[in-house]
Every structure is written in C-alpha cells, then in structure tokens.
Amino acid sequence: MPNPLPLVALLLVQQPPSPAPAPQVPPPAPVIDVHAQHPARALFLANCAQCHGENGDGHGTTKLDRDPRNFQAGGFSYGNTPEAIARTITYGIPGSPMPSFEKALKDEQRKLLAEYVLLLGPEQPKTDPKDSVMLVTDKPVIVRGKLPPIVEGGPAFPRGLMIGTPEGLSFEYRVDDVRLLAVLKGEFADRADWRGRGGDALVPLGKAVFLPKETEESWIFARFGRIVRRQLRSTQVLGGRAHVVYDLVGSNERRIATVTETPSTFACTLGGGYARRFEIEPGVPDPQSAATSHKVSGALVELSARRGLPSPRKDLLVLEEITLPGVLWPAEVAEQKKLVATFEKESQR
Amino acid sequence: MFTSLLFVALPSAAQLPVANEADYTTVDYLVPPEHAEVEVGGMDFLPDGRLALSTRRGQVWIVDDPLAKDPKDAKFHLFAEGLQEGLGLHVVDGEICVVQRAELSRLRDTDHDGTCDTVETICNAWGVSGNYHEFAYGLPVDRDGNFYVSLNLGFTEPKWWHGRSLAPYRGWIVQISKTGALKPFAFGFRSPCGLGMDDEGQLLLTDNQGDWEPVCPLYVVKPNQFHGAPASLAWTPQYQETKTEPSLTNPPDMPRVAPALWMPYGWTRSAGDMRTIPRDGSFGPYGGQLALAELTNGLVLRADLERVRGESQGACLMLRQRVGSAIRVLFGKDGTLFTGLTNRGWGGLNPSSGVARVRWNGRMPFEIQHVHLLQDGFELTLTEPLASNAALDPANVLATQYHYDWWWEYGSPERGTRRLTTTSLAASADRRKLLVHFSDLAAGEVAKVKLSGLLSQSGQALLHEEFAYTVNQLPEGPLCDTPVARVVPPPPARESGAEGWLRVCYGDAFEMWKQSRWKLSDIELDASDATKFALKDGMGALTNQGLAPAEDYTSSFVFGDAKVHVECALPKGGATAVSVHGRYDILLADPGEEKTQSLRSLGAVLPGEHFAGSPPLLPAFKGPGQWHDLDFFFRAPRFDASGRKIANARFERVMVDDVLLQNQIELTEPVQGASGPESAEGPLVIRGGLGICAVGGIMVRPLDVPWPAEGWHALLAPDEIEGWKTIGAATWKNEDKLLTTGGKPGFLATERDDFANLELRARCKINDGGLANLWLRASIAEGAPPAGYAVRINASHPDPEKTGSIVGHAPRKVVLAPADTWFDLVVRCESAGEGTRVTVRMNGVVVNEWLDTAKPFAKGRIALEQHHEGSVLEVKDLAVREIP
C-alpha cells in the first residue's frame, strides 16, 4: 500500500490559544525581537519556539526532561558553527528531547534556521580571514599545525611545522620523523585552525617548488649507522635563522646524534634554490652496526673547512646540502664541481 | 520527573531580602591589546607575579601586573606564537610549559629579549589522527614534576555522535615525566577539558557531557582505571592483545570509577578546570574547596568534597554567575580569581575571550559553607548563624534524588526523580549548623536540596539556596554497588532511512494481519458530513468506517522492543488507538472543543485500572481529514527466568508529526480492558471500536534484536570462495566481507552437501528489480532444475513472491523491506516428528513459517541463486548454526 497523502509538516505545532488577559492587568510588553524580519522567524516559531521559547531563551511552553538550550546564551552540544547546528536540526540529538527535522523541513529551511538560531545568541568572536594570515617580515616564523596533503589525494600531516623565511621560501616539515616535505614559494600561511571549533589544517599560501625525496639527506646520516627514528627536540629562531633540532635515534632508544638543521634560501648564478645546513653533534655510536661510510661520502661538502667557517665546537660536524632547480645535490661529479665552485664564490662574496 | 515543577510549588519567599552575588564578588576584565583575541586555554603565574596565558590561537601572552587596580594597567605582551593550540600552561622552574594539540613544549627565551625563541619538545609521543576534535588539555604537574595531559576523542563523519579513539591514548590521561617519557595513566574520557590537582596531590578531571557522560562529571582520577567513556578501551593491554574494538553502543562490562560529582545539567554543560580556593580567606569563606569553570553558562561553580568510605564525593554549589565563557580558573596571591575565557566554535556566555577577575569584596555572604553527608541527611555549616529557629520548618526543604542513564546517546535526563521526605530540620545550639534529615535518602543517586526561607543573624538571605550532592555511598551500611550513571539497555540505533523497518502493510495490507474486514480505500473528508469519510476506489488507507460490528485490526506478527510508525486521519469526532501487544494504547482522537491536554487528546497514553495514563505535552490534532504521523519507541516488559516481571513496559518517546508528546512513560499496568498476562512479545493492534479512523503507512522497526553469535560459523572466508562451487554463469565477488552477485543466472553452493537441521543467517540487500533465492537442503547440478527449500529475496521484481516467501509453498506478497535496503534474515529449517518446519525471520520478527509434512528434502547444500542478469544481491555475515 503506498503511503497515504504526502504530509506537509511545516507547521508542526499549534500554539495553545492564549488566555484572555485579566482586564486590570496591563498586557505584557510586546516581545521585541530585532531579528523579527529574518526569513527563518516563522520557521522558528513553528518548529522551535515551543521548547526553546519565542526568543530562544530556553523557556518554551513544553516541559522537557532537561532544560532546552538557551540560544541567547549561545551553547550547543556539537559546537556553534552554522554547519554543526544545521546538522543537529537535521538529525536531532537522540537521547535528548531534541527531535530530527530531517523529514519536516527542507535543507534550505534548516540552514536558514541555523543561521537564525545563531543570531539569537551572543555575538560570535569573528576571525577576520585576514587576521589569521601569518606574515613573515624581518625574521623567520615557525608555526606548528596540521599540514594539508603535499600532493592531491595524499595524506594530511596532523603533526607538522612550517618555517617561513623573509626571503619568501617556506619549508614544511612532518614532525613525526622530522622530514622536510616541501619547499614553497610565496606568502606564508593562513591559520585556518583559528576559525570555528579549531583543528583545521594550516593553509600554506605559497606554491610548492621543491618536493624533496624522503632519502634526500640520507647520504649525510648514513655514516651513523641504522637510524630507527628521528625525534624533534626543539625549534628555534635565533640570529635571524630558523633551526629545527632533532635527535637521530638508534636501536634501544640510543641517541646517535643531535642535528640542528637550518633551512634557508639559496641563490647563485645557477638559479634560486634552497640550502639545508646540518650541524651534527655525534652522540652515542652504535656498537652493533658499524657506521657504513656512504658511497657518496666523498662528495660531502664539508663546509666547515671549505667555507672557512670554524665549527662552533670541535665535536660538531657541519654539512650543507644545496638544491637548485633541476639539480639534485650531490649529482654527477662535473656538475658537482661546478656547483661547489659557484658555492664558494657565493660564500666569499 | 519534572523537578522544575516541584520547585514552582514552593511557598513564596517574597518577604525575604534577595541576596545578590554582585554584593559580595566583583567581576572586571583585563584589557588585551586591540585586535588581539585572547582565547584562553591555559594560565599560570611566572615567579615574578606576571600572568602567562596560552591561547587556542597558539599564542602565549604575558600580562604585567595582572593584579593592577585598574585592569587597563595590566599590560599584555605577546611572548610566543605559532603553536598548535595551547589548552594548558604551567610554569615550571620559571619556564613556561604549554600543551599543544600534538606536543608538550617548554618555551624559552634564550636571548633574553622578552620573547620566546626556542620551543623545546618535551614530549610528542601521543597520537593525533587529524580529527578536529582531538584537543589536548592540561596542564597540572605533580610533586615529582610529572605533567598530566588529557586527550580528547575524535568525532568523525558520518556518525559524529560517537566519540572515537582514532590514535593511541585518545580518551586517556597521559603522564609525562620531566624528561619527556610518556605513560598512559588513566582511561575512559570523552572530552576531558579540565585537569587539575588538589592540595593533596590528587589528580582531578572534569569531562564534558555527551555520549557516555550523562552530565559533566568531576573525577578524582584513578590510575589505570576506567572512568566511563568506552572508546579509549582500544588502547588497554586487554583490548590490544585480543584485537578487540570497543563497541560504540554497548556498555562494556567492567568497573567504572564513580565521579566525585555529577554536576547538574542546568548549571554545567561544558566544564573547564578547577583550582583549590585559598584557605586564607582571601576569596571568602570557601577556603579549601574547589572553584570550577563552566563555559556554556559562563559561570564558576564550587565543589565541596569529602571522603566517605574512603572515596571522594560531595556537593556542587553555585559560586559566581555571569562571568563569561569560563574554561580556566587560577587564584592570584591576593585571592583574585582569574578566569580564562573562550567560546569560539563551542558557544558560551559573553564575554567570549580574555580574562575576568573575580574578587571577593570582604563582605560575608550568608552561604551554605560546608555540606557533610549523614546517614539519613546532611549537616550543613553556615557562614553566619541563623537569625532564629523560626524558619526550621521541614516544608522549607525541597529535596529530590535522581540518577542517570549511562549510554551512548547524548547526555541523560535525570531519571527516577523522587521527592525526599524531610523528617526534620534542626539547628545546632549556636545556629551555625543545620541538620536536615530524610526518611528515604539513598546511595547511588544525586540528591538536590534546596532550602528556603532562611535568614542570617545579620538579616541576609542565603546567597545560594541549592546544592547537589552525589551520594555514591552513605557513611554506613552495606556498600552501594549501583552507580549514579546506570547501565541501561542501549538506546535504539539511529536508523538510516528505511533500514531495519518492516513495512507491514506495503503491497498487501492484510497478509500480516488477522483481519480482512477493514476496507482498503482512498479517503477524503465527506463534504456534506465531516464526521465521516467519503470513500473512493484506491489503496490510500485502511478504514473501519461502516464496519459492524466493530473489530480491531490485529497483526499476526509479534514483536518486543520496537519503534512503530502509523499514519492516521480522523473525521470530526473520529478516534482510534494504536495499541502495542493489545495492552498499551496511544490514543489518536479528535479532541473536539477540549482546550487543555487530557486523556482524551491525540497522543494520550490511555490509563489502566491503577495506572493514571498520561496526557500529551502539546496539542497535536491538526483537524479532521488531516493526516498525522505517529512515531513512538516502545520497550517491552522484562521478565526473569522464572517469568516474574522485573521491569515495566515503557513508551520512551511518543511523537506526532515529529513533536514530542510523551517522554519516558512507564506503563505500570496494561490499559483498562486488556486481557491476558503481559508478555515480552505481542502484536500491533489498531483499535476499531473507538470511532471512525483511517490508517496507513504502518511500519515496525524492532530494536536491539541481538544478532546471534554463539555457535555460529561463518560460511565464507574473507575475500575468497573456498569451500563453495559455482554452477552456471553468475559471478560472485567476495571482497571486504561483502559477497555480491552479478552476471547471468547461476548458483553458488557449498561443497558440503549434507546440511540438515540448521539456522542460517545473513544480512542482505537486493537491488531494484533484483531477485535471488537462498536455498537450503538443496540439490543443485548443472543442467538439472534445483531442488530443496528456497527462501525468496525480492523487493520490486514483478514476481509475486516477495522477500520472506518460501518459494512455491508459502508466498509473501507484502514487501517488508524495500529495494536497496539492508535487512537481517534468519532462516530456520528443522525436521521433527510432524514434518520439516521452515521459519523465516526478518529484522528479528517471524514473517513466515511453513510445515512441510511431505518431508521430501532431508539434507543438502546451502546455496545462493542469481536469478537473472541485472539482479544484484549483496550478502554480509553469512553464517550457519547446525541444530543437533
């Protein structure tokens, strides 16, 4: 049997007829509602007011097992974003007296109602989209946050950090293994997690110009033997540079070395790229797996010597890696020599 | 159950002075720099008295001179930014430690320029899945320097109402040592926004009401114990070892830590953290008790805990209202209560950010200073002596007790509310103490007590007249093992569309019913006589109009707990009742001129001999000839093994056109005139003798039918069809625990061919136009017609035998489950003396039964049949239980 007549259930409740006022009592002051002109006002009166009150103060005519929400106070079970409220109107809060209006109202009506309900409450702190944009001026800025996928369809990174440099490059790191994910060019980042309930991913504003391979710096660390994980120790903005400090952790949680990585913009006659300086303080060597001298270790650019920069401490190893468009360092020897020459020239300047 | 009604009935206290919080405490607000939105998440003092604030925007502000007389003189400096939220802050050895969403950090100013340059990671070893709701809160530090961080559950789509633990230790408190070692500390939390530590070093925590948290609790945290929200169980060794996933809907069977306080819903909806009120009297007479932040209502509560039978419990009282969206509290050295505010995205009273300072002005309020539980009442210490004993009238005490449901739905009403009988109200000789005694105070419930009419010696009225004491235990007698938040049957799952429903009139209005005299017709109100319908050819409704003698329309199927949907139209003066089991009736009637809600109104629950019945909460009759949607949840009575009734039947909610008319009506006895003893299952009855009515669209959705598990064996291994053979050209795909048919006609049959007495179960879905058969005791061979018992699966194929039919023998023309909708199918096939009985259950209800006295099929294969190309049957959980 098909369902009987389709039911138009917009006007769900008939308000009980008001009793005639006693003659000697002045009539109650008219309810002033600055939002009376809102297109959802009638929907609100028809669907919500019997519990939440005509003004949304939580004092409707219906007696419930718990006080309904006072919209004027502004609290909601699942947050006060229009989307969360529209969803509650749609599905209700089973277990509580809040019913579902999925059948009774149309999608647009529920959205309008959510908007209206929010208007009844206290003014919301608004995050001007401009306010949440982080700018980099005279020194690098480091922010922690969730990072969106680097490539379309890829995973997001719930624990991430971004370094913005005054030169206009920014560096995205995955924190769990302190891995450089991407180098971007352009504006820095928008803290989208300042909106709504929070927890949204940062919005990098630059364009990714380099996507380093996961193994990019392995030629540096291979000399220390097997590294089980990397553990972030700190981030620093000191001396006009941003640093990421992390431990290389071997088996049995042994600290093999502590690395201070300093990413920066690198420009030379070959073009614009980025440099990563690794200041490595060896820790406890791994007796089990002797350090394997990496096959490319001969190509290491040991800057402390080449650039005549004294290592701050004797026990520090300072290395740098430069990446230029189309050229991954270390590359073929000839290219490498050319680069080193350029590099030296640059650093002398 | 409506406590507010009880309060209204109190004698008027108009002659008493009115006490006002503002006469004793002042509130002012620090002034952040323009454009700075200081959404406080953590607060502590630096050794030099400056106030450090971490915010949800990942900033840390330092406030110079936070105690400045003029709040404008307390200057804000931005110390750090770029953190991933800062919902907890603690100053350790002069350095600011902040818990971010994904990391506990120490912020250092190594170049001493007044801003943070180094963010040191103390620990980041807890999981973050990326879900927005995975806040991390803190940040108390114990005497050994360990930090405590509480980790929120995630709320995911599409079932966002189930808090889920998507990464390690979500729903836990973790302990982090000075050196950064993380230790899971305690579990069972949902949205544990407030962590703190009392003077004795006990870790305290407030959670936020929602699933498994009926209202906001305050726990004295117990290491390695379960506190109530089950999603966190995923990371316990027991669940890890057995690879068990915690149920989102069924309560786990394990001990729970009883909160020291369940805070009344009317007072708290989003609890924040807490601090001990200074004992030096600098914040008034509440020293040693707790001040608790409450965000939604924008206030600060007071908790007065004591130890009873070795465990903390106590009273919750109002402390200061109209402060703002309070999430954090902190006392300054002069007793100023700094209150950190934020409400972005969460919702709470304005002001919505910044810092409020609440100060006691030195004037002593007349307050209930202490609440001490006695075996049969309370000893209340007052801040001032009573003016006289004149008001010591038991009538001035209004006390109720209630408990909560512990379930997966959002929050719980106060259940079983009963008024306590005050046997006496007396004062000590110095009139500083009140003794209130009840004849019926019980453990395992919250007691809410309100005193009125009391005046102090100095002529003041009580500033706060009410307290709510969580009576986990009484001081003496046997220990109570009933928690305040009680295990109840899981509430009905939230249905998705048509799933789980049985459309018991669709396609054939009579097949599932015992009567055939009701008329199937289109109806409209008779233009010349509104007291009856004009009937026209059609199948729009079932009506009893013109039926003489009157008879009820009674189903032949029976059910227990269920959600029921009936559509109904009435002519002027018309009436019917929808009766569950023929014993519990909801009236659908034109109330006529009646203006108030009564037992004659549409939606009334009809009375029994002693049961008073229940009028609806609201008028819901739209007028003669109009259709009304009745929906209700019914819980059948419960019986123990001996058949003794142990729980009454209940209408959990009754709605007409989605408006709630009845809520939690306990049916202490059947309706007047019902016959026979109450039972766990029974039919649905549409009353035919109350007047003219038209009904239609009747659907029943059985609730919580257990999906049998014991003794069942899966018939299909995951992702393979081993042990089965295919006959014909059909395709069979078994992926992700889902078997899908396709292609041309064919069979998928077990290799084993000696299945005899058994039950077979499957969750099935058939597409529009599809048709399939489930074969038992089958003989199937290439080129030969199949033989055996076949149960049909067909929602919309033209074949008249629909789902539930026993093909060729016992047809079902009613379309119980629509196409493209999952339903549960259990078929039992058993031979006994009289023959072979085949019973078909859908969604837990017997929908067909047939006795084959010829017994031609003794044993055979189990098989699925793909009937035609284009038909798509999907099957999950295919399992068999052989009957010995």
Side-chain angles (χ1 to χ4, degrees), chain B residues 265-289:
Chain B
Y265 178 79
W267 299 354
T268 324
R269 297 182 192 184
S270 302
D273 78 351
M274 72 302 288
R275 300 275 178 167
T276 304
I277 300 171
R279 293 176 194 273
D280 60 7
S282 56
F283 192 76
Y286 319 106
Q289 301 182 18

PDB file of all heavy atoms in Angstrom, chain B residues 265-289:
ATOM      1  N   TYR B 265      22.834  19.412  35.065  1.00  0.00           N
ATOM      2  CA  TYR B 265      22.810  19.903  33.684  1.00  0.00           C
ATOM      3  C   TYR B 265      22.438  21.377  33.615  1.00  0.00           C
ATOM      4  O   TYR B 265      22.956  22.128  32.793  1.00  0.00           O
ATOM      5  CB  TYR B 265      21.802  19.062  32.895  1.00  0.00           C
ATOM      6  CG  TYR B 265      21.623  19.473  31.458  1.00  0.00           C
ATOM      7  CD1 TYR B 265      22.553  19.105  30.506  1.00  0.00           C
ATOM      8  CD2 TYR B 265      20.519  20.218  31.053  1.00  0.00           C
ATOM      9  CE1 TYR B 265      22.397  19.467  29.180  1.00  0.00           C
ATOM     10  CE2 TYR B 265      20.350  20.590  29.738  1.00  0.00           C
ATOM     11  CZ  TYR B 265      21.291  20.212  28.801  1.00  0.00           C
ATOM     12  OH  TYR B 265      21.130  20.577  27.489  1.00  0.00           O
ATOM     13  N   GLY B 266      21.543  21.784  34.491  1.00  0.00           N
ATOM     14  CA  GLY B 266      21.109  23.177  34.477  1.00  0.00           C
ATOM     15  C   GLY B 266      22.244  24.135  34.811  1.00  0.00           C
ATOM     16  O   GLY B 266      22.180  25.315  34.478  1.00  0.00           O
ATOM     17  N   TRP B 267      23.261  23.640  35.470  1.00  0.00           N
ATOM     18  CA  TRP B 267      24.370  24.505  35.887  1.00  0.00           C
ATOM     19  C   TRP B 267      25.571  24.386  34.968  1.00  0.00           C
ATOM     20  O   TRP B 267      26.290  25.347  34.754  1.00  0.00           O
ATOM     21  CB  TRP B 267      24.810  24.153  37.322  1.00  0.00           C
ATOM     22  CG  TRP B 267      23.741  24.324  38.354  1.00  0.00           C
ATOM     23  CD1 TRP B 267      22.498  24.852  38.159  1.00  0.00           C
ATOM     24  CD2 TRP B 267      23.805  23.959  39.738  1.00  0.00           C
ATOM     25  NE1 TRP B 267      21.785  24.830  39.333  1.00  0.00           N
ATOM     26  CE2 TRP B 267      22.561  24.288  40.327  1.00  0.00           C
ATOM     27  CE3 TRP B 267      24.786  23.383  40.546  1.00  0.00           C
ATOM     28  CZ2 TRP B 267      22.291  24.068  41.677  1.00  0.00           C
ATOM     29  CZ3 TRP B 267      24.510  23.167  41.890  1.00  0.00           C
ATOM     30  CH2 TRP B 267      23.275  23.502  42.450  1.00  0.00           C
ATOM     31  N   THR B 268      25.843  23.203  34.499  1.00  0.00           N
ATOM     32  CA  THR B 268      27.084  22.958  33.758  1.00  0.00           C
ATOM     33  C   THR B 268      26.804  22.176  32.493  1.00  0.00           C
ATOM     34  O   THR B 268      26.177  21.120  32.551  1.00  0.00           O
ATOM     35  CB  THR B 268      28.051  22.079  34.577  1.00  0.00           C
ATOM     36  OG1 THR B 268      27.943  22.420  35.918  1.00  0.00           O
ATOM     37  CG2 THR B 268      29.459  22.242  34.106  1.00  0.00           C
ATOM     38  N   ARG B 269      27.318  22.665  31.393  1.00  0.00           N
ATOM     39  CA  ARG B 269      27.217  21.886  30.152  1.00  0.00           C
ATOM     40  C   ARG B 269      28.573  21.700  29.499  1.00  0.00           C
ATOM     41  O   ARG B 269      28.740  20.839  28.664  1.00  0.00           O
ATOM     42  CB  ARG B 269      26.241  22.563  29.192  1.00  0.00           C
ATOM     43  CG  ARG B 269      24.859  22.564  29.832  1.00  0.00           C
ATOM     44  CD  ARG B 269      23.796  23.152  28.979  1.00  0.00           C
ATOM     45  NE  ARG B 269      22.608  23.364  29.807  1.00  0.00           N
ATOM     46  CZ  ARG B 269      21.463  23.800  29.355  1.00  0.00           C
ATOM     47  NH1 ARG B 269      21.327  24.067  28.083  1.00  0.00           N
ATOM     48  NH2 ARG B 269      20.447  23.974  30.160  1.00  0.00           N
ATOM     49  N   SER B 270      29.514  22.540  29.832  1.00  0.00           N
ATOM     50  CA  SER B 270      30.878  22.398  29.300  1.00  0.00           C
ATOM     51  C   SER B 270      31.826  22.792  30.423  1.00  0.00           C
ATOM     52  O   SER B 270      32.159  23.962  30.565  1.00  0.00           O
ATOM     53  CB  SER B 270      31.110  23.323  28.108  1.00  0.00           C
ATOM     54  OG  SER B 270      30.180  23.057  27.088  1.00  0.00           O
ATOM     55  N   ALA B 271      32.224  21.807  31.195  1.00  0.00           N
ATOM     56  CA  ALA B 271      33.033  22.113  32.369  1.00  0.00           C
ATOM     57  C   ALA B 271      34.484  22.326  31.973  1.00  0.00           C
ATOM     58  O   ALA B 271      35.004  21.662  31.085  1.00  0.00           O
ATOM     59  CB  ALA B 271      32.927  20.970  33.374  1.00  0.00           C
ATOM     60  N   GLY B 272      35.135  23.252  32.634  1.00  0.00           N
ATOM     61  CA  GLY B 272      36.551  23.512  32.424  1.00  0.00           C
ATOM     62  C   GLY B 272      37.353  23.020  33.618  1.00  0.00           C
ATOM     63  O   GLY B 272      36.974  22.040  34.250  1.00  0.00           O
ATOM     64  N   ASP B 273      38.424  23.735  33.939  1.00  0.00           N
ATOM     65  CA  ASP B 273      39.281  23.195  35.007  1.00  0.00           C
ATOM     66  C   ASP B 273      38.914  23.755  36.368  1.00  0.00           C
ATOM     67  O   ASP B 273      37.903  24.456  36.526  1.00  0.00           O
ATOM     68  CB  ASP B 273      40.761  23.366  34.657  1.00  0.00           C
ATOM     69  CG  ASP B 273      41.279  24.774  34.878  1.00  0.00           C
ATOM     70  OD1 ASP B 273      40.464  25.683  35.149  1.00  0.00           O
ATOM     71  OD2 ASP B 273      42.511  24.971  34.785  1.00  0.00           O
ATOM     72  N   MET B 274      39.705  23.414  37.357  1.00  0.00           N
ATOM     73  CA  MET B 274      39.352  23.729  38.736  1.00  0.00           C
ATOM     74  C   MET B 274      40.608  24.035  39.543  1.00  0.00           C
ATOM     75  O   MET B 274      41.706  23.603  39.180  1.00  0.00           O
ATOM     76  CB  MET B 274      38.585  22.554  39.365  1.00  0.00           C
ATOM     77  CG  MET B 274      39.393  21.307  39.680  1.00  0.00           C
ATOM     78  SD  MET B 274      40.257  20.553  38.290  1.00  0.00           S
ATOM     79  CE  MET B 274      38.915  19.856  37.370  1.00  0.00           C
ATOM     80  N   ARG B 275      40.445  24.814  40.577  1.00  0.00           N
ATOM     81  CA  ARG B 275      41.565  25.106  41.482  1.00  0.00           C
ATOM     82  C   ARG B 275      41.025  25.134  42.905  1.00  0.00           C
ATOM     83  O   ARG B 275      39.852  25.431  43.122  1.00  0.00           O
ATOM     84  CB  ARG B 275      42.158  26.484  41.197  1.00  0.00           C
ATOM     85  CG  ARG B 275      42.699  26.685  39.812  1.00  0.00           C
ATOM     86  CD  ARG B 275      44.120  26.203  39.669  1.00  0.00           C
ATOM     87  NE  ARG B 275      44.529  26.391  38.271  1.00  0.00           N
ATOM     88  CZ  ARG B 275      45.769  26.304  37.844  1.00  0.00           C
ATOM     89  NH1 ARG B 275      46.741  25.992  38.682  1.00  0.00           N
ATOM     90  NH2 ARG B 275      46.054  26.494  36.583  1.00  0.00           N
ATOM     91  N   THR B 276      41.920  24.887  43.837  1.00  0.00           N
ATOM     92  CA  THR B 276      41.539  24.961  45.242  1.00  0.00           C
ATOM     93  C   THR B 276      41.423  26.435  45.653  1.00  0.00           C
ATOM     94  O   THR B 276      42.318  27.247  45.370  1.00  0.00           O
ATOM     95  CB  THR B 276      42.592  24.250  46.109  1.00  0.00           C
ATOM     96  OG1 THR B 276      42.719  22.909  45.627  1.00  0.00           O
ATOM     97  CG2 THR B 276      42.174  24.226  47.559  1.00  0.00           C
ATOM     98  N   ILE B 277      40.361  26.740  46.305  1.00  0.00           N
ATOM     99  CA  ILE B 277      40.122  28.114  46.764  1.00  0.00           C
ATOM    100  C   ILE B 277      41.063  28.385  47.950  1.00  0.00           C
ATOM    101  O   ILE B 277      41.195  27.529  48.839  1.00  0.00           O
ATOM    102  CB  ILE B 277      38.644  28.297  47.159  1.00  0.00           C
ATOM    103  CG1 ILE B 277      37.758  28.019  45.929  1.00  0.00           C
ATOM    104  CG2 ILE B 277      38.384  29.693  47.718  1.00  0.00           C
ATOM    105  CD1 ILE B 277      36.267  27.961  46.211  1.00  0.00           C
ATOM    106  N   PRO B 278      41.740  29.555  47.966  1.00  0.00           N
ATOM    107  CA  PRO B 278      42.717  29.805  49.032  1.00  0.00           C
ATOM    108  C   PRO B 278      42.104  29.610  50.417  1.00  0.00           C
ATOM    109  O   PRO B 278      40.963  30.003  50.675  1.00  0.00           O
ATOM    110  CB  PRO B 278      43.113  31.268  48.804  1.00  0.00           C
ATOM    111  CG  PRO B 278      42.781  31.557  47.394  1.00  0.00           C
ATOM    112  CD  PRO B 278      41.654  30.661  47.022  1.00  0.00           C
ATOM    113  N   ARG B 279      42.916  29.007  51.274  1.00  0.00           N
ATOM    114  CA  ARG B 279      42.449  28.728  52.630  1.00  0.00           C
ATOM    115  C   ARG B 279      42.597  29.927  53.550  1.00  0.00           C
ATOM    116  O   ARG B 279      42.173  29.891  54.694  1.00  0.00           O
ATOM    117  CB  ARG B 279      43.244  27.561  53.218  1.00  0.00           C
ATOM    118  CG  ARG B 279      42.965  26.235  52.509  1.00  0.00           C
ATOM    119  CD  ARG B 279      43.846  25.129  53.058  1.00  0.00           C
ATOM    120  NE  ARG B 279      43.823  23.969  52.176  1.00  0.00           N
ATOM    121  CZ  ARG B 279      42.913  23.004  52.251  1.00  0.00           C
ATOM    122  NH1 ARG B 279      41.962  23.050  53.167  1.00  0.00           N
ATOM    123  NH2 ARG B 279      42.947  21.995  51.411  1.00  0.00           N
ATOM    124  N   ASP B 280      43.255  30.981  53.031  1.00  0.00           N
ATOM    125  CA  ASP B 280      43.492  32.132  53.906  1.00  0.00           C
ATOM    126  C   ASP B 280      42.318  33.096  53.958  1.00  0.00           C
ATOM    127  O   ASP B 280      42.428  34.183  54.515  1.00  0.00           O
ATOM    128  CB  ASP B 280      44.754  32.875  53.436  1.00  0.00           C
ATOM    129  CG  ASP B 280      44.603  33.378  51.998  1.00  0.00           C
ATOM    130  OD1 ASP B 280      43.487  33.277  51.424  1.00  0.00           O
ATOM    131  OD2 ASP B 280      45.597  33.873  51.434  1.00  0.00           O
ATOM    132  N   GLY B 281      41.224  32.708  53.349  1.00  0.00           N
ATOM    133  CA  GLY B 281      40.040  33.561  53.416  1.00  0.00           C
ATOM    134  C   GLY B 281      40.049  34.693  52.405  1.00  0.00           C
ATOM    135  O   GLY B 281      39.134  35.507  52.362  1.00  0.00           O
ATOM    136  N   SER B 282      41.069  34.741  51.567  1.00  0.00           N
ATOM    137  CA  SER B 282      41.147  35.868  50.636  1.00  0.00           C
ATOM    138  C   SER B 282      40.083  35.805  49.545  1.00  0.00           C
ATOM    139  O   SER B 282      39.832  36.789  48.866  1.00  0.00           O
ATOM    140  CB  SER B 282      42.544  35.939  50.016  1.00  0.00           C
ATOM    141  OG  SER B 282      42.849  34.704  49.386  1.00  0.00           O
ATOM    142  N   PHE B 283      39.481  34.641  49.359  1.00  0.00           N
ATOM    143  CA  PHE B 283      38.357  34.569  48.412  1.00  0.00           C
ATOM    144  C   PHE B 283      37.075  34.180  49.153  1.00  0.00           C
ATOM    145  O   PHE B 283      36.260  33.404  48.676  1.00  0.00           O
ATOM    146  CB  PHE B 283      38.654  33.587  47.274  1.00  0.00           C
ATOM    147  CG  PHE B 283      37.659  33.695  46.139  1.00  0.00           C
ATOM    148  CD1 PHE B 283      37.735  34.750  45.241  1.00  0.00           C
ATOM    149  CD2 PHE B 283      36.634  32.779  45.987  1.00  0.00           C
ATOM    150  CE1 PHE B 283      36.807  34.877  44.213  1.00  0.00           C
ATOM    151  CE2 PHE B 283      35.699  32.895  44.957  1.00  0.00           C
ATOM    152  CZ  PHE B 283      35.795  33.952  44.076  1.00  0.00           C
ATOM    153  N   GLY B 284      36.925  34.681  50.351  1.00  0.00           N
ATOM    154  CA  GLY B 284      35.690  34.423  51.067  1.00  0.00           C
ATOM    155  C   GLY B 284      35.745  33.128  51.846  1.00  0.00           C
ATOM    156  O   GLY B 284      36.815  32.541  52.054  1.00  0.00           O
ATOM    157  N   PRO B 285      34.598  32.681  52.253  1.00  0.00           N
ATOM    158  CA  PRO B 285      34.518  31.597  53.238  1.00  0.00           C
ATOM    159  C   PRO B 285      34.607  30.202  52.640  1.00  0.00           C
ATOM    160  O   PRO B 285      34.106  29.258  53.234  1.00  0.00           O
ATOM    161  CB  PRO B 285      33.146  31.830  53.867  1.00  0.00           C
ATOM    162  CG  PRO B 285      32.326  32.401  52.754  1.00  0.00           C
ATOM    163  CD  PRO B 285      33.256  33.230  51.928  1.00  0.00           C
ATOM    164  N   TYR B 286      35.187  30.067  51.453  1.00  0.00           N
ATOM    165  CA  TYR B 286      35.129  28.772  50.766  1.00  0.00           C
ATOM    166  C   TYR B 286      36.468  28.068  50.742  1.00  0.00           C
ATOM    167  O   TYR B 286      36.682  27.153  49.940  1.00  0.00           O
ATOM    168  CB  TYR B 286      34.663  28.977  49.320  1.00  0.00           C
ATOM    169  CG  TYR B 286      33.555  29.983  49.146  1.00  0.00           C
ATOM    170  CD1 TYR B 286      33.800  31.239  48.601  1.00  0.00           C
ATOM    171  CD2 TYR B 286      32.255  29.679  49.553  1.00  0.00           C
ATOM    172  CE1 TYR B 286      32.787  32.169  48.453  1.00  0.00           C
ATOM    173  CE2 TYR B 286      31.234  30.613  49.409  1.00  0.00           C
ATOM    174  CZ  TYR B 286      31.508  31.859  48.857  1.00  0.00           C
ATOM    175  OH  TYR B 286      30.504  32.767  48.711  1.00  0.00           O
ATOM    176  N   GLY B 287      37.400  28.506  51.572  1.00  0.00           N
ATOM    177  CA  GLY B 287      38.775  28.003  51.528  1.00  0.00           C
ATOM    178  C   GLY B 287      38.844  26.477  51.519  1.00  0.00           C
ATOM    179  O   GLY B 287      38.127  25.796  52.255  1.00  0.00           O
ATOM    180  N   GLY B 288      39.730  25.950  50.677  1.00  0.00           N
ATOM    181  CA  GLY B 288      39.935  24.505  50.619  1.00  0.00           C
ATOM    182  C   GLY B 288      38.986  23.793  49.681  1.00  0.00           C
ATOM    183  O   GLY B 288      39.211  22.627  49.344  1.00  0.00           O
ATOM    184  N   GLN B 289      37.925  24.465  49.275  1.00  0.00           N
ATOM    185  CA  GLN B 289      37.013  23.849  48.305  1.00  0.00           C
ATOM    186  C   GLN B 289      37.511  24.164  46.891  1.00  0.00           C
ATOM    187  O   GLN B 289      38.517  24.838  46.715  1.00  0.00           O
ATOM    188  CB  GLN B 289      35.596  24.383  48.535  1.00  0.00           C
ATOM    189  CG  GLN B 289      35.103  24.078  49.954  1.00  0.00           C
ATOM    190  CD  GLN B 289      33.692  24.554  50.206  1.00  0.00           C
ATOM    191  OE1 GLN B 289      32.925  24.814  49.290  1.00  0.00           O
ATOM    192  NE2 GLN B 289      33.351  24.671  51.483  1.00  0.00           N
TER     193      GLN B 289
END
